[in-house]
Amino acid sequence: MSSETEYVRWSTKSLSDLERFWAKEIEPELRSAGHDLEERPTYQDLLEVGYGGLQDALRNHHEMTLGDFLERVGYAEEGPQTGYSWQIDDETTVDELENFLQTA
């Protein structure tokens, strides 16, 4: 995790700033941490490299989900789901439920 992640001021970044920050900082950090960038990163992946604040900034300042943002930066919507369909629209809740099930 980069020491720079501790000082990110998410609320001051425009959407285009976040897209540039993704390409310049977050993707290289994910790659360095061993994440396969051919697969769509998850919220948990972002937490692992210290960029969990991105999701809150997107929701609170840009009215956008992490999934919406990932599509903007080149990660297409994942194909048909093979797991449980939660019937919940809140991506954070779904991510937390799936993370819980993986650790249980």
Side-chain angles (χ1 to χ4, degrees), residues 23-103:
K24 184 178 177 189
E25 302 291 332
I26 299 175
E27 274 191 335
E29 194 73 34
L30 287 167
R31 188 176 299 108
S32 292
H35 294 281
D36 178 7
L37 295 180
E38 293 297 316
E39 294 183 21
R40 185 178 170 134
T42 65
Y43 176 66
Q44 185 64 39
D45 295 336
L46 293 176
L47 283 176
E48 289 173 9
V49 296
Y51 291 109
L54 173 64
Q55 180 169 284
D56 290 334
L58 291 167
R59 182 179 54 246
N60 295 330
H61 301 286
H62 303 288
E63 299 180 11
M64 178 179 281
T65 67
L66 178 59
D68 294 337
F69 179 77
L70 290 172
E71 284 185 42
R72 286 181 68 100
V73 295
Y75 293 94
E77 181 72 32
E78 294 178 348
Q81 291 187 339
T82 57
Y84 182 77
S85 175
W86 292 100
Q87 301 295 316
I88 299 171
D89 292 330
D90 183 60
E91 188 171 298
T92 302
T93 302
V94 172
D95 286 345
E96 291 299 320
L97 288 168
E98 289 175 352
N99 288 333
F100 172 77
L101 289 175
Q102 290 174 1
T103 61

Side-chain angles (χ1 to χ4, degrees), residues 14-26 69 73:
S14 69
L15 190 54
S16 59
D17 290 339
L18 290 173
E19 290 171 349
R20 284 188 296 275
F21 190 79
W22 177 269
K24 184 178 177 189
E25 302 291 332
I26 299 175
F69 179 77
V73 295

